[in-house]
Amino acid sequence: MKGLEFMNKKIRLHLGILVSVSFIFFVLLSFASAADSTNLSVEDQASSCLNNSKVLMNQLVAENLTVSRVNDTISQAEVLYNAQEVLKARKQKTDFSLVISYCDSVSKIYSLALDSKDSLSTLLKYYKESVTPEMNTTTIDVIINETMFEMQSERYEKVQPLIDNAYQEITNVRARSTTLNLFVDSTTRGLKSFFLKNWKIIVAVLAVLTLLWFMFKTPIRVKLLNNQLDRLARRRESIKRLIMVSQKDYFQTGKIADSDYKIRVGNYAELVRDIDRQVPLIKEELAKLKGGKE
């Protein structure tokens, strides 16, 4: 009995060892299979994400969005994928996960592009509904034009901050316009009240001023014309002195060349002739105002 019991214990021990070894072997085999499966999965994912990236690019085209940035990213991913295929054919180490990182970039650009387009469309609608013709929208227009430029350049990361700035500027412009309108309304009401209360005094003052104008308009006009004649006379004398200086510089000291002298003196002479044309006209008007005394 003891021998039989000993044999059973020995058999159970061997069976336990066999089961344990089998389990360890199975686990190692599973890890190896999983590793091979993972390598294949990464390559398949790389190929799949490239195709998906091209689909996303076509969708952007359908949305009338520029795709230069996306197209460049896909081209770089394809070059990298082909390089990994060459390494695989040579049985060298490959890393298709690098391709997937480019696909992730395409996916992010795609999401940003659509979000930016929707946000810009909403902003433009809000802009049209918020502003009125009397508002000064120059600052808003600058921000919106910059936003549209960033959209066209595919720098979608800069679009949303600009849109936020545009909303804030629309609010500011509306507030300034409201304040101005309130000021204008208040001033208008104040002036209207003032005129209603003091219209008799205002009419009397305007009548006096009108009478004074008719009484003194001729002396005032004569004074202004005489002042104009004095200014022309002083200017004529000043030009004559400049001509004399130019003559001295040319004939005595030789500081200026012959061509320069002729041009300078010719310009001065034209100025003098212009003054001489104005003076008789002014004197004629003076004579008419004085009743033909001059």
Side-chain angles (χ1 to χ4, degrees):
M1 289 292 293
K2 290 183 179 180
L4 183 60
E5 185 179 351
F6 176 75
M7 288 294 294
N8 289 334
K9 289 182 178 180
K10 191 173 182 180
I11 290 172
R12 285 197 296 272
L13 178 62
H14 284 298
L15 286 174
I17 294 172
L18 181 61
V19 171
S20 298
V21 171
S22 299
F23 177 74
I24 293 172
F25 178 76
F26 176 76
V27 171
L28 293 175
L29 183 62
S30 298
F31 277 126
S33 299
D36 291 338
S37 176
T38 301
N39 287 334
L40 291 175
S41 176
V42 172
E43 181 179 352
D44 290 340
Q45 288 176 23
S47 177
S48 176
C49 81
L50 277 175
N51 293 330
N52 184 59
S53 295
K54 293 177 182 178
V55 171
L56 295 180
M57 182 175 69
N58 291 332
Q59 291 177 1
L60 291 177
V61 172
E63 293 288 339
N64 294 322
L65 293 170
T66 54
V67 293
S68 299
R69 182 180 175 186
V70 171
N71 187 52
D72 291 343
T73 304
I74 292 175
S75 298
Q76 294 173 8
E78 287 179 330
V79 170
L80 185 58
Y81 181 87
N82 293 333
Q84 300 305 310
E85 286 290 321
V86 172
L87 293 175
K88 179 182 176 182
R90 296 176 181 176
K91 300 186 181 303
Q92 297 179 7
K93 184 178 179 180
T94 61
D95 187 1
F96 286 94
S97 64
L98 298 174
V99 177
I100 297 175
S101 66
Y102 280 95
C103 295
D104 291 340
S105 297
V106 171
S107 180
K108 290 178 181 178
I109 295 171
Y110 172 81
S111 298
L112 279 173
L114 293 184
D115 291 345
S116 298
K117 181 183 178 182
D118 292 339
S119 296
L120 180 58
S121 177
T122 304
L123 169 66
L124 294 176
K125 183 178 180 180
Y126 178 76
Y127 171 74
K128 291 180 181 178
E129 295 174 350
S130 300
V131 302
T132 54
E134 68 272 8
M135 290 184 183
N136 183 2
T137 61
T138 302
T139 54
I140 305 173
D141 295 337
V142 169
I143 299 175
I144 290 178
N145 289 336
E146 185 178 356
T147 304
M148 297 179 72
F149 175 75
E150 296 297 349
M151 281 286 297
Q152 187 66 27
S153 303
E154 300 179 66
R155 290 190 285 265
Y156 303 113
E157 297 83 357
K158 297 183 178 181
V159 170
Q160 190 57 51
L162 287 171
I163 289 177
D164 294 339
N165 291 341
Y167 277 116
Q168 184 61 48
E169 189 58 28
I170 290 173
T171 301
N172 294 339
V173 169
R174 291 180 64 183
R176 289 196 295 267
S177 178
T178 301
T179 303
L180 180 61
N181 289 336
L182 290 174
F183 172 76
V184 171
D185 290 341
S186 177
T187 304
T188 302
R189 287 195 299 268
L191 289 174
K192 184 178 180 181
S193 176
F194 174 79
F195 280 118
L196 289 175
K197 291 180 180 178
N198 303 281
W199 68 271
K200 294 181 179 179
I201 298 175
I202 295 172
V203 170
V205 170
L206 289 176
V208 171
L209 290 176
T210 303
L211 180 62
L212 291 174
W213 166 250
F214 281 108
M215 290 176 59
F216 296 103
K217 69 175 183 178
T218 299
I220 292 173
R221 182 60 180 163
V222 170
K223 179 65 175 177
L224 292 176
L225 291 174
N226 283 326
N227 290 340
Q228 189 174 356
L229 283 175
D230 291 339
R231 286 196 299 271
L232 289 175
R234 288 194 297 270
R235 188 181 179 198
R236 194 176 191 280
E237 291 300 321
S238 176
I239 294 172
K240 289 177 66 177
R241 285 194 296 271
L242 292 174
I243 293 175
M244 292 174 63
V245 171
S246 298
Q247 290 174 340
K248 181 179 179 181
D249 290 341
Y250 176 68
F251 290 106
Q252 297 181 14
T253 62
K255 291 182 179 179
I256 58 176
D258 180 69
S259 58
D260 292 339
Y261 170 74
K262 291 179 179 179
I263 293 173
R264 189 180 301 180
V265 171
N267 291 335
Y268 289 152
E270 180 61 31
L271 292 174
V272 171
R273 285 192 295 270
D274 182 60
I275 293 172
D276 290 341
R277 283 192 294 267
Q278 294 182 54
V279 169
L281 297 175
I282 296 173
K283 288 184 175 180
E284 182 180 355
E285 187 174 355
L286 276 171
K288 291 178 180 178
L289 291 173
K290 294 179 180 181
K293 294 179 182 179
E294 294 185 8

